[in-house]
Amino acid sequence: MAEDTNSAKLEQKIKKLERELQSTSEAMKLSEKTLQAKVRFMSILHEEKFRQEQFLYMLLENSIDIMFLLDKDFKIIYCTKAYLEAYNIPHFEMIRERDFIDVITQHMGNENAQRLQVFLSEHQQSLKPEKVEFIVDQDDGKRNHYNIHLSPLLKDGVIDGYTILVHETTKIVKAMEEAEQANAAKSQFLAVISHEIRTPMNAVIGMSELALRETENPLVEEYLMDIRQAGNNLLSIINDVLDFSKIESGNLQIIDVPYEFSSLINDVLSVIRIHLTDKPIIFLTEIDSNIPRLLIGDAVRVRQILLNLLSNAVKYTQQGFVKINISHELIKNNNSDQKSLRLIFTVSDSGIGIKKSDQKKLFNTFVRLESKQNMEIEGTGLGLAITRSLCYAMGGDISVKSEYKKGSVFTAYVLQQTADLQPMAKLDNPERKKSLYYYEDPLILSSIGWTFKNLGVPASAAVNEEELLEKLSSDLWNYVFFPSECIAKVEKCIDILELNTIPVLLSSAAPGNILWNGLFASFPYYSVSIVNAFKGKKAVRSRDDKVSFCSPDYKILIVDDLEINLKIAQGLLAPYKMQITTSKNAPHAIELIKKNNFDLVLMDQMMPGMDGMEAIKVIRSLNGKKYQELPVIAMTANVFPGISKTFKASGFNDYLPKPIDAHRFNDFLERWIDKSRRQSVDLSEYTVLGMGIKGLDENKGMISCLHSSVVYRELLQLYCEDINYRLGFLQMAADENKNQQLKEETKTLLLSNLNIIQSACETIGATAFAKTADKLKTSAGWGDTLQLSGFIQELESFRKTMLKALLQ
Ligand code: ADP
């Protein structure tokens, strides 16, 4: 029994041992497989590493860049084939382990090698890559440019060696130089072209300006105005293109100087006024009177933004309205006492509008929408792109909202600094200026209402003449504003009711042409003109008629090589009654300066032979205080950023852009001619004589005399004398014709006298007489003088009435 039990236990043990043996052998098989796999894996890994190393090696070997591997003592461990090939080194072994600087000195020259040594020693502890630039003169005279990059090789965070990458940049540098040269050439080209185009434009615009003053023929006048307009358009296109290229090349400069905001607005409005004349468009203004009086910014560029937006609104609106709203927001500067200001311009119109899909493209360059429909409208598609760039340059932006065929609203803003926070238009005690106002157009009426509210004036509108008179008689008003049609009625009403109301005329005519002695506000009726009206001042004169003084003892020298430019400058200076001397070249001008005591010299900058720049150097180097103090102004057609500084640095006192802008000339002269040397041009000189002679349109006649009544009076006296003599001749011809046919020579003389009479009548504003004289010329051509006697009688009585009026 016990034996059985033992053998069973033994059997069990054997089985267990067998099982264990089996599992051990299985485990062994598995680990053998694992080992095999591991070995295989290791070999793959090795292969991969080898492959990668090979790859890296190939990469280095085939690199076109020169690369070195250095140990931490700058000994060469490796270099790329590019270096060996570039310097004809047959085998790497020739440089292995050699000092990097020693090797490279042969190719770089000592000076560069020294620089490189300094660079390496300065940066040998640097843990980041460093770069240095080198220029190496080659034996063949060429110059090569290199960038050398030094990068540390780190092992456990410690520098163990370096890589040096030598990158040749000759081609890039050359390309950059070429691009810069091309850019400089482009700017130079633009400057030359600008000068070349502006100079003849100077002649075109200036001469048409002068011819306009001379002509007595309305048709010629019309042609001349067209020429002047086309010239100005061309100039504005040239300016656009120049601006655009400046923006493109990043040369647009914003020149910040203090300026009066109201005069900028006045300027803009007078320009836009002219554009408005030939379309049924109502011009509306909402210009906040609280905008600070004196701002600091680039007034020329702000003006450009406003003019672009407004002229677009006028261009793309056939009828309805164009409205300008100007508001502001003060921005507090934390680190300065000066306050910044956001000026916001909103120009709305009831014009052709812009499709939604087109609105995004608007501010791109050369975009003109619906070019077919708008073919008649002049433009380059640059205006808005320039406007946006100008806004950006002044910290602002521009946006548009528009409804196709209904109208558009452009909103632009710019940042400016303030120099004086006083409001640009301000009334003392506005609450005591209770006003009644009437205007025939309801939109203008409401815009006047807006201005009164803005100024704090309690005001009430009348929607028609009846209501105006009714309200005038039923309440007490300090002021009543009304258009010229109502003058008689309003005056009568005030007279009869013995009211203390002060009448103020709302006049759309230019100030010089208003037949009214009382207060008036001139169009457009906005804060400044309304405040001026309240203050009893004449509204700011329209730029067209502005000759604010004369200086008969002032000696001025004009130097220009072109006769035509001299004539223009002389013509523009004529109303100032100065003593003008001219010279056609700089050496002659210098002689004149030595011999005379001029008060001011206007000198062309570009002249053949000695140019303005050389001339000013000579003048300033002459011995004597006179030569240092003499104001010399450069006249130039090439206006570029920083021009003022350039001219001042050369010794000029200022510059005057050509073509000389007749309208701005007065401001320029005011800057240079000392007040003590100016004689006032009596403003009464600029109001019409008011002689009330039938057949004489004084307003028209005054235009020929630059609105000067003094000149007009002289002209009329001259006319009376001259006409007397010509009438005598006409009578003689009529008498001769009674008995016989007109002799040929009498006919010729008759025709020429009628011609003179016609143009004289036209000049003084006697248009009907001019027309009759014209008709008589035709019949006289046929030898017919039948109607001559009637004409002689009428003209004689006209002359007598005029003489009487002139003597009073
Ligand atoms: P352009 O010299 O052609 O007027 P702009 O850049 O000033 O160039 O304007 C680009 C285009 O935008 C214009 O050609 C016109 O189609 C459109 N546009 C500009 N202003 C207005 C506007 N007030 N109303 C309708 N379309 C306008």
Side-chain angles (χ1 to χ4, degrees), residues 493-520:
C493 185
I494 291 175
D495 248 17
I496 293 173
L497 299 171
E498 295 183 356
L499 299 174
N500 280 331
T501 310
I502 301 172
V504 187
L505 183 71
L506 293 166
S507 168
S508 53
N513 295 346
I514 297 168
L515 278 165
W516 166 259
N517 288 327
L519 300 183
F520 75 89

Side-chain angles (χ1 to χ4, degrees), residues 312-313 315-316 349 352-354 362 367-370 374 378-385 408 410:
N312 271 354
K315 267 198 307 191
Y316 299 106
D349 63 60
I352 57 172
I354 304 153
L362 265 191
V367 168
R368 303 210 66 212
L369 307 173
E370 313 207 20
N374 295 341
E378 282 183 44
T380 51
L382 280 175
L384 285 178
S408 313
F410 283 85

Side-chain angles (χ1 to χ4, degrees), residues 735-750:
D735 290 346
E736 184 184 303
N737 199 219
K738 269 183 200 154
N739 312 318
Q740 59 182 74
Q741 253 197 339
L742 271 188
K743 284 188 214 141
E744 228 15 74
E745 63 212 54
T746 317
K747 200 159 68 180
T748 317
L749 276 172
L750 175 61

Side-chain angles (χ1 to χ4, degrees), residues 222-360:
E222 206 181 308
Y223 293 158
L224 285 171
M225 286 202 312
D226 284 349
I227 296 174
R228 190 177 59 176
Q229 185 58 36
N232 281 323
N233 285 349
L234 187 54
L235 260 190
S236 89
I237 292 174
I238 297 166
N239 287 340
D240 267 6
V241 173
L242 277 176
D243 271 349
F244 169 66
S245 68
K246 272 185 215 153
I247 290 168
E248 273 248 289
S249 57
N251 282 336
L252 178 81
Q253 281 192 3
I254 296 296
I255 301 161
D256 291 337
V257 283
Y259 69 96
E260 254 184 37
F261 189 65
S262 61
S263 64
L264 181 142
I265 291 301
N266 201 55
D267 223 19
V268 169
L269 296 185
S270 355
V271 176
I272 288 302
R273 241 175 91 129
I274 299 165
H275 291 286
L276 284 166
T277 45
D278 42 357
K279 280 187 191 172
I281 299 178
I282 287 162
F283 187 62
L284 304 167
T285 46
E286 288 179 1
I287 300 172
D288 187 0
S289 58
N290 298 307
I291 293 171
R293 196 181 73 80
L294 216 53
L295 302 181
I296 301 171
D298 193 329
V300 176
R301 297 305 188 178
V302 175
R303 180 174 179 269
Q304 198 176 351
I305 293 177
L306 275 169
L307 280 177
N308 270 346
L309 294 180
L310 281 168
S311 56
N312 271 354
V314 175
K315 267 198 307 191
Y316 299 106
T317 303
Q318 286 316 315
Q319 58 182 39
F321 71 89
V322 165
K323 177 166 142 188
I324 168 96
N325 175 301
I326 308 181
S327 60
H328 77 292
E329 287 165 10
L330 282 177
I331 306 166
K332 275 193 191 140
N333 290 5
N334 289 337
N335 42 5
S336 146
D337 294 343
Q338 233 177 20
K339 279 199 170 127
S340 302
L341 169 100
R342 184 175 290 117
L343 269 182
I344 307 160
F345 311 120
T346 310
V347 176
S348 350
D349 63 60
S350 60
I352 57 172
I354 304 153
K355 288 181 192 153
K356 258 236 137 47
S357 53
D358 286 337
Q359 289 178 17
K360 280 185 221 105

